[in-house]
Amino acid sequence: MKRRVAILISGRGSNMAALIEAARAKDFPAEIVVVISNRADAGGLERAKAGGIAAVTIESKPFGKDRAAFEAVLQAALDKYRVELICLGGFMRLFTAGFVQHWYGRMLNIHPSLLPSFPGLDPQGQALRAGVRISGATVHFVTAETDAGPILMQGAIAVVEDDTPETLAERILGIEHRIYPDALRLLAGGRARLEGDICKTEGSAGTGGVLISPAAS
Ligand code: GAR
């Protein structure tokens, strides 16, 4: 049985599109049953509909600071679609500790840095200002702390001399689109488990690649 997944978005939804595409494969252990946006103008909503996926808007703005009231409506939608796993894809709204606790171990997020470095806003700019030579993207379980929580998968790229936040973001996005479907495959397939604050995965041998940046010659 495929695990039933909701993707939560606030914007263009390119990670959402990558997950939808991957989940079309017969052997993929999850199906995307609904995309939910907290903004009616999120570009990803149209992309989801075009892909034949149910797309729901629950505007968070009218709820103001009442996060629990927003989450009650969100939870009702998740119940309606019998959602088992949640993937956040650029979902720009913080959750209450109660909601996070309820979904702990079943809710993933993707962030465009090698966490725990550079959580929060403008991670690519943070990486450039720190002068790191390697950056990347992280898929992690969601906890009450923003862009923290047990790490399921990471992918890395070299930072180059003339990178701007925009060029770096674009290359990291390419990594995001590869690792998010792979991470969901592991979780939905029962090949990722939490041991305290650490995520253990089957297939943890990695790809064997070594990334050295910059090259000396
Ligand atoms: C992605 O780069 C994602 O990693 C980032 O928002 C972008 C959403 O793009 N998320 C965060 O920064 C979370 N803190 P998308 O809508 O095209 O998937």
Side-chain angles (χ1 to χ4, degrees), residues 67 92 105 110 127 135 176 205:
R67 295 186 192 287
M92 295 304 183
I110 189 156
S135 190
E176 293 184 48

Side-chain angles (χ1 to χ4, degrees), residues 85-166:
L85 301 172
I86 297 176
C87 290
L88 306 181
F91 186 71
M92 295 304 183
R93 171 116 184 152
L94 299 175
F95 293 115
T96 63
F99 187 86
V100 167
Q101 188 53 42
H102 177 73
W103 284 96
Y104 184 65
R106 300 181 294 148
M107 177 157 60
L108 297 177
N109 181 44
I110 189 156
H111 183 75
S113 76
L114 293 174
L115 292 173
S117 293
F118 318 132
L121 295 177
D122 189 25
Q124 301 90 352
Q126 291 187 57
L128 291 177
R129 286 190 293 279
V132 296
R133 304 298 193 147
I134 291 172
S135 190
T138 303
V139 177
H140 65 94
F141 290 93
V142 176
T143 56
E145 202 182 327
T146 307
D147 300 324
I151 292 171
L152 174 43
M153 192 175 286
Q154 294 184 302
I157 51 144
V159 177
V160 297
E161 211 71 8
D162 53 359
D163 259 330
T164 64
E166 291 73 28

Side-chain angles (χ1 to χ4, degrees), residues 37-40 57-67 69-71 73 93:
S37 172
N38 69 321
R39 296 178 57 129
T57 302
I58 306 170
E59 281 275 12
S60 54
K61 216 172 187 177
F63 292 95
K65 289 197 171 120
D66 193 349
R67 295 186 192 287
F70 168 74
E71 288 165 2
V73 180
R93 171 116 184 152

